[in-house]
Each structure stands twice: as structure tokens, then as C-alpha cells.
Amino acid sequence: MVVSLRLLRFGCKNKPFYRVMAADSRSPRDGKHLEVLGYYNPLPVKLRVYWKQLLSTFMRYWLSVGAQPSEPVQRLLFRAGVLPPPPMLAMGQKGGPRDTRLVDPMTGRIMTP
């Protein structure tokens, strides 16, 4: 059984809310899961702050036993400081450099000189 870390979608139309979960890679997106590892709200709340709560000890456990994060979860873990930057942040889809500006490792935002 291959375990993947991925997002489970909740919320209504145009107002998504996600749970980060560990699940069997063969189960559907909103299907059975093994464990809920955190939450992510992509819509800005007050002061344009994105709300995310990740349980990093459980994330580190699942990563240590070989769980594979999906690309969105990999970006969230990078912004939370659990993983190194994913290769897609530095490279475009076809393998060329997409952006040469520096990215803040804690927030994932572009740093100004």
C-alpha cells in the first residue's frame, strides 16, 4: 500500500476549504483516509492572511515511513518549513527556469532586494 499526503476538499462552491490527509494512493480524493494531518484555507481572511494549521510531528512521521506528498501539499509543507523547496518552484513545467527572484523560505513569497 502506497500512502500519499493530499488535500481533501470541503466547503461550498467558490469557497473551498481543505484538510491535509494521509490516504491510500488508490482511494478517491474525497474517499477513505488514514489520518487527518492539518487544515488549509486558501481564501484570505482578515488582512489577507491565509490560514493553515499543519501537525508537523505527524507529517514528519508519514514522510519518514515513505508517504509521497502531492504537489499542492508539497508546496504547503515547504511554506511551513517541513520540506525543502520543491523542484517545481525553481523550474517551469518544461524544465527551464521560471523565475530567478529569491523566495522567502518561511512564507513562500518573493523577496524584494
Side-chain angles (χ1 to χ4, degrees):
M1 174 174 80
V2 178
V3 176
S4 64
L5 304 178
R6 58 184 176 197
L7 297 174
L8 176 68
R9 189 181 194 279
F10 284 97
C12 16
K13 185 177 177 181
N14 297 327
K15 293 181 184 177
F17 177 81
Y18 298 97
R19 286 185 186 166
V20 181
M21 66 173 193
D24 183 9
S25 63
R26 296 170 292 183
S27 66
R29 180 192 73 182
D30 294 336
K32 188 176 177 182
H33 60 274
L34 302 172
E35 187 174 7
V36 175
L37 304 173
Y39 307 96
Y40 173 62
N41 185 1
L43 298 177
V45 219
K46 292 182 180 178
L47 300 174
R48 297 181 141 301
V49 175
Y50 295 96
W51 183 71
K52 62 185 169 196
Q53 177 186 5
L54 301 174
L55 305 172
S56 63
T57 55
F58 294 110
M59 291 278 188
R60 290 180 200 275
Y61 166 74
W62 282 108
L63 291 170
S64 70
V65 295
Q68 297 295 316
S70 64
E71 288 184 23
V73 173
Q74 193 173 14
R75 285 191 301 267
L76 283 176
L77 293 177
F78 162 65
R79 290 181 183 152
V82 177
L83 284 181
M88 297 311 286
L89 282 181
M91 305 297 281
Q93 291 291 335
K94 297 187 179 179
R98 184 171 78 181
D99 198 352
T100 58
R101 297 179 286 184
L102 295 175
V103 177
D104 184 11
M106 294 305 289
T107 62
R109 296 183 182 173
I110 297 172
M111 294 172 40
T112 57

